[in-house]
Amino acid sequence: MSGPQDVGIRQRARGAPGGRASQAQSPISEPDDDHLAAYRARDGEGWSIEHVLETREASVGIVGVLTLLAFALRFYKINHPDQVVFDEVHFGKFAAHYIQREYYFDVHPPLTKLLFGLAGWFVGFDGTFKFESIGDSYTDAHVPYVGMRALPAMFGSLTIPVVYAIMKESGYSNVIAAFSACLILFDNAHIAQSRLILLDAPLIFFMSLTIYSYIRYRKLRYLEFSPAWWGWLLATGTFMACTWSSKVNGVLTVATIGIAVLIDLWDILDIKKGYSIEYFWKHFVARAVSLIALPITLYLLFFYIHLSVLTYSGPGDTFMSPAFQETLRDNELLMNSQEIRYYDHITIKHKDTKVFLHSHPERYPLKYDDGRISSQGQQVTGYAHDDLNNHWQIIPTKALPETGRGRIVRHEDIIQLLHVNTQTLLLTHDVASPTMPTNEEVTTWPKDDHSRYNDTLFHLRLVDANPGGSWKTKSGHFKLIHVPTKVALWTFPGQLPDWAFNQQEVNGKKEIAEKSTIWYADDILATEDGEVKSADEIGHTEPKKMNFFKKFGELQILMLQHNAGLIASHPYASGPFNWPFLVSGISFWTQNEGQKQIYLTGNLLGWLACTFGVAIFVGILGADLLARRRGVDPIPLPVRNRLWNSTGFFLLVWAVHYFPFYLMGRQLFLHHYLPSHLASALVAGSVLHFVLSETINYPISLRGPSTRPQPPQKADIGMKGPVVVAVFAVFMFGLFVYIAPLTYGTPGLTGEQVNARRLLNTWTLHFAAKKTDHV
Amino acid sequence: MSAGVRVRRAASPPPSLPQAAPRFPNPRHHDHLDADERRAAASRGYVPGRKSHAPGGVNLTSAEWKLLGVVVLIAFGVRLFRLSRPDSVVFDEVHFGKFASKYIKSSYFVDVHPPLAKLLITLAGFLSGYDGNFDFKDIAKVYENVPYVAMRLVPALLGVLTVPISYLTLRALDCRATTALMASLFITFENGMITQSRHILLDSPLIFFTALTVLLWTGFCNEDKHQPFTEGWWTWLALTGLSLGAVVSCKWVGLFTIATIGFGTIKQLWILLGDLRVPPRLWIKHFIARAICLILVPILFYMFMFWIHFAILTGSGDGDGFMSSEFQHTLRGRHMADTYADVAIGSTITIRHVNTQGGYLHSHPHNYPTGSQQQQITLYPHRDSNNDWRIVNGTDHGNPYTDWDVDPISYVNINTRVKLRHISTEKSLHSHDFRPPVSDVDFQQEVSAYGMPNFAGDANDDWIVEIVKGDPKDTESWKRIKTLKTHFRLRHALTGCYLFSHKTKLPDWAYEQQEVTCNKNAVMANSLWYVETSEHPNCKFPENAPRANYKKPGFFKKFLELQQVMWITNAGLTDRHNFDSRPDAWPRIRRGINFWVKDHRQIYLLGNPMVWWLSSAAVFSYIAVRGFLILRAQRGYRDFESTKVVKYDTLCGFLFVGWALHYLPFYLMNRQLFLHHYFPALYFSILLACSVFDLVTSTLRPRVRLQIAAVLLIIAVWNYVYFSPLVYGNPWTKAKCRSAQWFKTWDFSWYVRHSAYLCLC
């Protein structure tokens, strides 16, 4: 990104090293703005196809045709299949929740799902269909699914003109721009992904718009702080926020722009550019406002809408903290939560494993299999089912008033728990638990025997409670800390042997900060005066208020935790290394009747072209670096600047959207590569241009008041450009049509046809014909 | 004014005072200048002559050598003090002691670490007459008939040697003697390094070889600056390569050292590439020399270590189960007799799973507690008569279990419909529409053994042989099952699922053997089986029928297989450990590791806080200052034109890269990590701290510099003494122990308190 001044100097100094470059420059160094005229004058023929193709009218025509084709390919038979496909299970369901306004939890930010909800609402979906499993019929349930699918299809189609525009704005000719657009246009993976209710098409659309706006903004860098400059900068921020709010992966787009801006700012800071430090801060603040403050505000706004739409209790409740849950209408906590008083009989449940704290008269065996000794006390276990042995009574350790609110159990109280059936008190002590030598055994002790009184004392610590907060059923999550030894009552999904009827082990854990030590009181079964209030009597059903930022913060943390926690293996998950080579796809949907299936896989030809493009480009950069280190300048300066700054930016987009996946432990799928694939299509276009011709359109940035005019150049890729692109597009289209049955899920294929379409033997297609081996 | 003039005049010494002794009594050679003098000389335009070049640029005066001798003696004292105590197993001696026993007994084992350090320990044990009969079962088990002191001497001596190496390294990096002395004493009194080097552990050899590599590399760089391709140049380079091989043969963490040296090499080559006076041919010579010495030599060294490893471990042991059948075949005690190469209807065969090391298709007279409650089918890794199956014809109309005896020999071809009879319980391999006990999903079916003597069974016993792969040299093996050569799948005739197994263990009721199911969406690799042994009862095969056996794998194959197994095992070490920690906790020693507790005494791995924090502070101040300098450079300040800045930037930069490459990659690792993984990085950061000291005190007079160094050293030694009971396991009063617990997270006193509590009970 060196300044235009030195470009001029270097060029003049270099003279004319190669015949081609000087040839391209000479006719247009005249003060003639009409490049077409210059070309005609030089070539002597006015209407050769390649020049017609480069006119503005041709550009409009090309983009029109491409867009029409994009819509046609993405909307073709969009009603098929009329069944729930792949992740529509999730995202369709979320749309239904928006319409029903039921709270749900998901790892992705809400923008796209809100749009799906909106689309569903617009086409009259009532939200009663819950997208339970893949293959559920839409037609039977009268779901207007076509309307919902049309949304991503539209986004997917509109991505094509944006890609074209990115290439155009970056200074490539119409033909090259069309080439990059075709790589996306005829790509089976992009099409399959955008025809279904999935988040990726909107994500990719917003991502391409971000790139486009950023390039427009960069081109205005000599007209800094002009209205257009501000406009495109703000647009970059806005689209960046949309990308990020569409799917978690959008963070990578934010990172891309962040890196590009840092490089840009670093250049401004360079003393050789001659800018003052005040000037730098001015630029810095402009970017901070547009690319940090604005996106965050928008991101918050989407969550604000999300939380204001979802005001009813729904399947997402249990993920949230009790305080959060109480803000949801009809929530169970709101309906059933009541304050616990001393001497109440309650059942206690473990939050993570949902077992009741249980005890029964059987005792721990004196000696375990590994030779350790127990106290032979009464067993305390975790038991998953309702049972009389789950009842515990809360015994105070302080004097209580006769009546009134003084009898309520509060945060930080010291209590004893009496097992009602055996009339023994919960106790733990410094004896190793049955299966874990590091943890303390939990047992009980007769209530009349006061010799172990201290060991029966437990500190009731409510989670996130204020001092003096009352303990409530359902909502009052708590930890029970043993007073003398400071261990927390804990259980985990580990079974005890037969002597405890394979129930779950309960023991005292030293790591009291761990979240797995949280329990809650499930229900009050009897009170001192014998009356138990029913749900209706409790009354206060009006949802509570909670600060938006608190809710947002809680939700963000949960989203991050759950995203990192998605590590279960999936049969179609694949590693990032496979993606650029399209080693495997994802089976989205199958139907035995008619042997139909949707299999997410890209257009092999296109993907390989993209990957090849990236590889060549990296090779060019490496060769250029080496050559320059040895004092050789093989590439003319404007061309090198174009390669490093424009194509380099595309490569940055590709790398930032790709390599971080290597660091992720979560399950990964082919569709995570689609944003990178789009970037690699841009790289491939530029590389094709570089291979075809050493000329570029230059300059493409708008001239500022203080910029010196540059002798303009015009790219000339000759006739071979359109020919190569046309031939490639035809082949790509052919391959696209060939594997289209896997993309559209129709028509069905016979076993042999499936086999024939298995272009790589790593693709796991369904309905493949068995190999008929001759014996 | 006149006063100033008078001061400047040199004062003549009063004649009554004795002549002050010269700083160095033995006058040095004219060209031997220390760093200060050299710099002063350089500013006057004096360039030391070529004669002055000492090998590797390590330019020590004889007084310094004596000083170094004293330092080594101190290190001896500090590290070998009561090496025999405790006389019981400490921490990971459990593993490494055990491995030494296994080397001596030559019983095969698999460990995640390469063999060099373990071999050295074994050698020490072997030379002192250890017979390998001690089991190192638990921490604090008392040693009996183990020359454990000799074994502990290996890491301890290497730990002692690290001290002079650090001195020489800093001297070679052109630091002052004071600085180098400070670094070597810091390392001498670093409690963590002492603790680590006093026991049978791998980290002390690792640190030693890392330090050695850095020294040799520094020497090479000095030689390279002086004149390339001299004899000395080659020696230093080759030694660097050997030392690199040694680092990576101690622990894989040594790869970070390789990365550090690699980084330095690339930088050197890049600079060389930019020097247009260097013709391409010469550059290529530079490149090839480095490629040979720094890539090829370490690889050969590493492989040689494994060659020794295999040469020693020739017998079967508890590591067998990790290895492939071919590999196991090379071990004494796991050797398999030749078996018939053909499989015919009626043959008694054993069947192995290809993709996992689960073992043989197995059944035993115990039933599933779930599903059909029929007899269990599992994979069992050891040889056993319960692995024997008879393969019989499934299309036979008579009684297939007896007819084979009368019918003529017919081989098992593609698409042959077979039944498999478990010989000892007389039941057949069977599958049906029940979910398997563990993999409870709808595309998996239970596999059981079903039937009874004299009962022909039903069609659910029928399996169809699908041959997937044969031996490329034996076309027959693609058409019919041949022992060891043919990989086949077994398709269940009625439901179309494939016999399948995966790395999932069954619960206690099946003795934790591996689960076998019938899978409708079977992954190819996990549904492949092969016949390991085949025999035909009643001698139906002719006497001269072809026999087969495993092909003995060569060294390379064994080497590569072991690397793979080590990698997988290493990546699988993800369980939590009581004392594991994450990398962010290391630079601030958030918590140590409890090594050993017995009789109110404890060994607890904890660093010397002063040394540790000083070095971390140096690292972070380097980052801050360097960042600031970059910003200044961008704004046109010419800091980097000062030779002092450039010198210290190169020096600190090299050490910082070493620190970063030995530390940051741990953030990417998911396996369990411990404080002692930080020690190589700590070594770099201590050197970095001392170079920063060198820079900060560069304008001071030597005496003041020495005084500052002395103060720092006194604090460090005090810290060492203060925490030394944790190093040596010396008795400690409760009050002192409690007061030494500066942070709640230093959980050593817990044990003391806890055991005291137990005693009171």
Side-chain angles (χ1 to χ4, degrees), chain A residues 415-441:
Chain A
I415 59 167
Q416 292 179 304
L417 282 176
L418 179 73
H419 187 240
V420 178
N421 262 12
T422 58
Q423 288 294 304
T424 52
L425 289 164
L426 188 72
L427 170 145
T428 177
H429 48 187
D430 199 352
V431 172
S433 87
T435 63
M436 305 178 114
T438 51
N439 291 14
E440 290 190 4
E441 178 191 89

Side-chain angles (χ1 to χ4, degrees), chain B residues 72 203 239 254 281 348 367 389 398 464 478 547 572 623 645 663 710 727 746:
Chain B
V72 172
D203 295 85
L239 286 177
R281 189 180 286 274
T348 307
N367 290 352
W389 298 84
I464 294 178
W478 294 83
R547 305 277 184 141
I623 296 173
V645 171
Y663 173 59
V727 174
W746 293 2

Side-chain angles (χ1 to χ4, degrees), chain A residues 365-388:
Chain A
L366 176 61
K367 204 167 175 186
Y368 300 121
D369 291 341
D370 56 0
R372 284 181 302 111
I373 307 287
S374 85
S375 69
Q376 267 198 299
Q378 179 173 320
Q379 294 172 11
V380 174
T381 63
Y383 184 58
H385 309 285
D386 263 333
D387 190 280
L388 277 181

Side-chain angles (χ1 to χ4, degrees), chain B residues 219-384:
Chain B
F220 166 72
C221 290
N222 288 339
E223 290 282 344
D224 194 51
K225 263 179 251 163
H226 179 66
Q227 193 179 5
F229 300 113
T230 59
E231 206 169 289
W233 187 91
W234 278 107
T235 317
W236 286 92
L237 183 59
L239 286 177
T240 310
L242 279 179
S243 178
L244 268 184
V247 187
V248 80
S249 309
C250 284
K251 266 189 164 187
W252 275 356
V253 180
L255 287 173
F256 300 156
T257 312
I258 293 189
T260 311
I261 301 303
F263 186 85
T265 315
I266 290 172
K267 194 182 153 207
Q268 260 184 7
L269 289 174
W270 185 248
I271 290 171
L272 212 55
L273 189 68
D275 184 353
L276 294 183
R277 289 167 305 180
V278 177
R281 189 180 286 274
L282 182 62
W283 189 85
I284 287 171
K285 200 174 158 198
H286 271 284
F287 177 82
I288 289 176
R290 284 168 177 80
I292 290 175
C293 291
L294 300 179
I295 300 175
L296 196 64
V297 169
I299 289 178
L300 288 177
F301 186 91
Y302 183 74
M303 285 175 55
F304 180 61
M305 286 302 125
F306 274 92
W307 185 83
I308 299 176
H309 177 81
F310 288 134
I312 295 178
L313 296 179
T314 50
S316 146
D318 57 9
D320 298 359
F322 291 94
M323 312 312 292
S324 69
S325 324
E326 288 91 346
F327 193 105
Q328 292 184 24
H329 181 57
T330 64
L331 299 172
R332 210 175 335 107
R334 300 288 294 189
H335 180 82
M336 191 182 85
D338 284 359
T339 175
Y340 284 105
D342 297 308
V343 177
I345 295 295
S347 288
T348 307
I349 56 175
T350 54
I351 302 174
R352 271 186 86 101
H353 192 231
V354 172
N355 201 32
T356 64
Q357 289 306 317
Y360 301 92
L361 189 68
H362 179 92
S363 186
H364 41 221
H366 298 278
N367 290 352
Y368 286 115
T370 58
S372 66
Q373 315 220 330
Q374 290 169 2
Q375 184 170 309
Q376 296 166 13
I377 301 281
T378 63
L379 282 194
Y380 179 64
H382 306 289
R383 282 182 206 149
D384 185 277

Side-chain angles (χ1 to χ4, degrees), chain A residues 161-335:
Chain A
V162 176
V163 169
Y164 181 87
I166 290 174
M167 292 304 280
K168 261 321 267 182
E169 289 297 332
S170 303
Y172 298 99
S173 56
N174 294 346
V175 173
I176 295 296
F179 171 75
S180 283
C182 280
L183 283 171
I184 308 296
L185 170 63
F186 296 128
D187 190 77
N188 300 61
H190 280 275
I191 293 177
Q193 200 70 19
S194 45
R195 283 165 38 83
L196 302 166
I197 310 174
L198 300 173
L199 305 185
D200 296 82
L203 171 83
I204 293 164
F205 174 68
F206 286 126
M207 179 197 108
S208 55
L209 269 184
T210 313
I211 298 172
Y212 176 72
S213 322
Y214 187 72
I215 289 171
R216 289 299 298 259
Y217 151 79
R218 275 293 294 169
K219 287 176 65 175
L220 291 162
R221 64 185 177 280
Y222 302 120
L223 296 167
E224 59 236 0
F225 306 115
S226 65
W229 185 89
W230 272 109
W232 285 113
L233 183 59
L234 290 171
T236 311
T238 310
F239 291 129
M240 204 165 88
C242 291
T243 318
W244 180 23
S245 313
S246 293
K247 212 178 173 188
V248 179
N249 309 7
V251 170
L252 299 176
T253 310
V254 177
T256 314
I257 299 296
I259 293 172
V261 165
L262 280 182
I263 294 174
D264 186 17
L265 284 176
W266 189 245
D267 267 1
I268 294 178
L269 198 60
D270 189 353
I271 192 89
K272 291 183 217 107
K273 294 278 161 72
Y275 300 126
S276 69
I277 200 83
E278 291 74 28
Y279 178 86
F280 168 77
W281 283 118
K282 215 169 141 192
H283 269 280
F284 180 84
V285 170
R287 285 166 180 77
V289 168
S290 325
L291 300 177
I292 300 175
L294 174 73
I296 289 181
T297 315
L298 285 173
Y299 187 69
L300 285 171
L301 176 72
F302 294 132
F303 270 94
Y304 185 78
I305 299 172
H306 172 79
L307 291 174
S308 4
V309 171
L310 302 177
T311 53
Y312 286 83
S313 163
D317 291 12
T318 45
F319 290 95
M320 313 311 290
S321 71
F324 190 108
Q325 292 188 36
E326 282 175 350
T327 65
L328 300 168
R329 207 171 282 275
D330 301 339
N331 181 270
E332 195 195 12
L333 294 190
L334 212 52
M335 308 289 282

Side-chain angles (χ1 to χ4, degrees), chain B residues 85-235:
Chain B
R85 304 246 293 263
D87 59 351
S88 53
V89 179
V90 176
F91 194 55
D92 273 354
E93 289 188 351
V94 167
H95 302 294
F96 303 119
K98 201 183 288 167
F99 293 141
S101 308
K102 286 182 181 160
Y103 271 124
I104 286 173
K105 303 211 122 188
S106 68
S107 94
Y108 191 79
F109 68 88
V110 169
D111 180 35
V112 295
H113 302 299
L116 174 62
K118 284 175 289 181
L119 284 171
L120 288 176
I121 291 166
T122 311
L123 184 69
F126 178 73
L127 291 178
S128 335
Y130 176 46
D131 55 4
N133 281 331
F134 188 72
D135 63 357
F136 294 90
K137 190 150 176 280
D138 292 305
I139 293 178
K141 182 169 181 177
V142 177
Y143 282 121
E144 290 159 8
N145 300 327
V146 185
Y148 66 94
V149 178
M151 289 159 83
R152 280 181 188 167
L153 260 177
V154 173
L157 288 179
L158 293 179
V160 170
L161 285 179
T162 312
V163 172
I165 287 180
S166 66
Y167 186 94
L168 296 175
T169 309
L170 278 188
R171 289 294 284 145
L173 284 168
D174 203 17
C175 285
R176 293 184 187 83
T178 321
T179 313
L181 180 68
M182 195 169 90
S184 60
L185 287 177
F186 273 170
I187 284 168
T188 310
F189 292 109
E190 212 297 299
N191 300 37
M193 286 191 178
I194 303 171
T195 318
Q196 200 69 27
S197 68
R198 288 169 50 83
H199 304 287
I200 311 177
L201 301 172
L202 307 187
D203 295 85
S204 183
L206 176 79
I207 299 166
F208 167 75
F209 285 118
T210 307
L212 185 64
T213 312
V214 176
L215 172 63
L216 293 170
W217 171 250
T218 313
F220 166 72
C221 290
N222 288 339
E223 290 282 344
D224 194 51
K225 263 179 251 163
H226 179 66
Q227 193 179 5
F229 300 113
T230 59
E231 206 169 289
W233 187 91
W234 278 107
T235 317

